[in-house]
Every structure is written in C-alpha cells, then in structure tokens.
Amino acid sequence: MTRTEPPGELAIETTGLVKVFGEKRAVDGVDLTVPAGSVYGVLGPNGAGKTTAVRMLATLLRPDGGQALVFGHDVHREADAVRARVSLTGQYASLDEDLTGTENLVLLGRLLGHSWARARERAADLLAAFGLEEASGRQVKNYSGGMRRRIDIAASILNTPDLLFLDEPTTGLDPRSRNQVWDIVRAVRAHGTTVLLTTQYLDEADQLADRIAVIDAGKVIAEGTPGELKSSVGAGSVHVRLRDTAQRPEARRLLTEQLATEVRLDSDPLALTARVGDAASADGAARSAARALSLLADHGIVVDDFSLGQPSLDEVFLALTARPAAAASPEPAITTTTKG
C-alpha cells in the first residue's frame, strides 16, 4: 500500500548540526530540510561529512551540537521513536555472506518480529521484486556487487520504513547495476517512503533527487534542485579533443581568450574542458562554443571531437569551492554498521 504523509510534513529537519572527532569538525553546522515523500540527495566528495551526518540522523552517532529531528522526533532524546520509522543501507553490505539470499532475509524478518511463514513470504516477495529469485538459494558471498546492493536494500525494507537512508548505494557498481539500483530507489519512493541518498555522482543525484544539498568540509555550500545547481555554474561545458597534443598549449590560450574563463587540461593529453555561458542563456553557451571552434580552425588547430554538455560533478564542485572534488580528505573511520 502506498503511504501518504500529511501535506507539508518534514521527514528531516536539522539546525546547526555538529559532529567533532578530536580536532576535526566532520559535520560543521549543517542545516537540512527534507519534505516527506521526496528523494533528497546529499552530494559531496569523500570526507565531506555525508556519512557522518547520516549516522547522526539514523541515531548511530550522538550529535555534538545543533538539533536534528526525524518526523518531529529528536534523534538523541527520542532515538527509539526515530528508529521505529527509519532504515539504513550503508556503503557496505551488512548481510551474513555464508547464508543464502533467502536465509538472510528470513532471519532478518524473524528478528523484526515476523512469524516464520510471514518472514518466508516477505523474503520471497522481495527477492522476486529485486530480480534475485534465481540467486535466492546461493550464498551471498557468491553474489556480484550489484546483487549485493540489491539484497542489502531489500533487507532494509523488510518492514517498509517511513524514511530510508541510502549511503552511496552505487559506489563501485557497473552501469547496469547502477541503473537497477536507481529503479529500486524510484520504486521505494513511489510507495511513499522518503529517501535520503548520499552520493559522489552528480548524474545519480540528477536522476533521482528532487533537491540536492552539496556538502564540503562538513558544511552545506549549496542547495537546490538539480537544474538550479547546474545553472549556478554556467549553461554548459565545452569538451574539446585535439588531433595533435603539441597544439594543446596554443588551443588553451585561444580558448581562454575567446571564452574569458578558465580552460582546464584534462588527464587525456589531447583534451581540454571549459565552462561557457551563464545561468540565463543556454543559447549563449552554444554560440560561445561555436565561436571558439571557429577560432581554433582559423589557427590551424584540428579538433577531432567536441561536445557541449551539462557540468560534471568536478565542474560544479570546482566552481563552488575553487578546488577539485578529489582534493578532499577522508572522513574519520566509523565501524558501526547496524541498520536503523
């Protein structure tokens, strides 16, 4: 049955949320407002504070400052009430690898209070829904990465939660497995569950999230719809691949002068990337790119490949922080892996 929440109800509301490990403020005054029934993306690099924030919201860590409410319940003072309404799928599968898919789900169903018959029925339903029927009798240690993520999410919704935390659910997955996880997220949301999704991938947040908070160094540095965030750093990005690597310095100089913006040298020794246009004019971005290509041709620089597309995560993050996402440091290690 699809759940409906009262109009305007908030699934999550945080004010000045803080978590400190030694001298490091892993979460440094985070404010979030997540409407019930939505998919909310928390986007940022490794070490940004995403996982630490999720663990506080799921009652696995105690906040050191600020306030966090989940469906109106304080995550510290009313932890039991919060746990009754949430479930967490962390970055690593938390099932027993020596048990089969069915055995894992039946065991968890029993721990959640289901009868043997109901636990077996629920396990069978979820294995079928997640495309794991043929693998149900195999040990989980023999599952592929995508299958592990799917059964881990299935375990999280044995009792359908009001709020599901998905902490980087597609990291390390191949494109097909990522798409399967995305379909699961859409199905969970369609049944009325609120989803808070942490990710390093702009395309993932773009596909799934109604709104996105960008976090860096424990702070929210931008928030909005996917379109608003992409528009905030320009109408598009020009990607150019040259025929002759020796011409790249001259191409960079010409593009910098023509586009009046920074032109980055990609890891590919033949490639360059630059942001073009502004938030108000996608047409302006296309015209700027066309003029830039014409200028390169006038100077005898041959372009083998060219594209004009949306900004990447690195381009959005670089525009917001003046440094690439890969420059972030790891978050403090936390070993707790229990589900909410």
Side-chain angles (χ1 to χ4, degrees), residues 53-133:
V54 164
R55 290 183 179 278
M56 285 190 284
L57 293 170
T59 75
L60 298 179
L61 286 175
R62 179 176 177 175
D64 292 321
Q67 183 182 49
L69 303 178
V70 172
F71 293 106
H73 299 289
D74 185 277
V75 298
H76 173 55
R77 295 194 305 272
E78 302 173 276
D80 287 344
V82 172
R83 291 170 188 155
R85 303 193 66 174
V86 308
S87 189
L88 166 65
T89 295
Q91 295 179 21
Y92 306 101
S94 55
L95 302 173
D96 188 326
E97 302 228 329
D98 290 325
L99 298 181
T100 67
T102 295
E103 288 169 343
N104 266 290
L105 296 187
V106 170
L107 172 62
L108 290 171
R110 290 288 290 154
L111 291 173
L112 289 169
H114 295 302
S115 66
W116 279 109
R118 177 56 183 157
R120 286 193 292 268
E121 179 185 8
R122 184 64 174 151
D125 289 344
L126 288 169
L127 289 165
F130 285 31
L132 293 170
E133 281 181 298

Side-chain angles (χ1 to χ4, degrees), residues 238-249 251-252 255 263-274 296 301-307 315:
V238 171
H239 305 277
V240 175
R241 195 170 192 274
L242 308 176
R243 179 168 299 178
D244 184 357
T245 187
Q247 293 183 316
R248 191 161 76 154
R252 186 184 194 187
L255 291 174
V263 178
R264 294 189 292 111
L265 302 179
D266 295 348
S267 57
D268 180 344
L270 292 168
L272 308 95
T273 298
L296 293 178
I301 296 175
V302 180
V303 174
D304 274 347
D305 190 38
F306 162 81
S307 64
E315 290 157 341

Side-chain angles (χ1 to χ4, degrees), residues 121-170:
E121 179 185 8
R122 184 64 174 151
D125 289 344
L126 288 169
L127 289 165
F130 285 31
L132 293 170
E133 281 181 298
E134 293 185 3
S136 63
R138 287 160 46 190
Q139 291 175 302
V140 169
K141 65 183 177 184
N142 296 318
Y143 282 16
S144 68
M147 293 165 67
R148 287 169 183 245
R149 297 310 289 155
R150 280 184 279 156
I151 197 168
D152 208 36
I153 296 173
S156 297
I157 60 173
L158 275 162
N159 282 350
T160 305
D162 295 326
L163 171 60
L164 176 61
F165 296 105
L166 293 177
D167 191 12
E168 299 191 16
T170 64

Side-chain angles (χ1 to χ4, degrees), residues 7-24:
E9 182 180 8
L10 295 180
I12 298 171
E13 185 176 15
T14 73
T15 305
L17 192 61
V18 172
K19 185 62 186 178
V20 180
F21 297 99
E23 297 182 357
K24 180 178 175 61

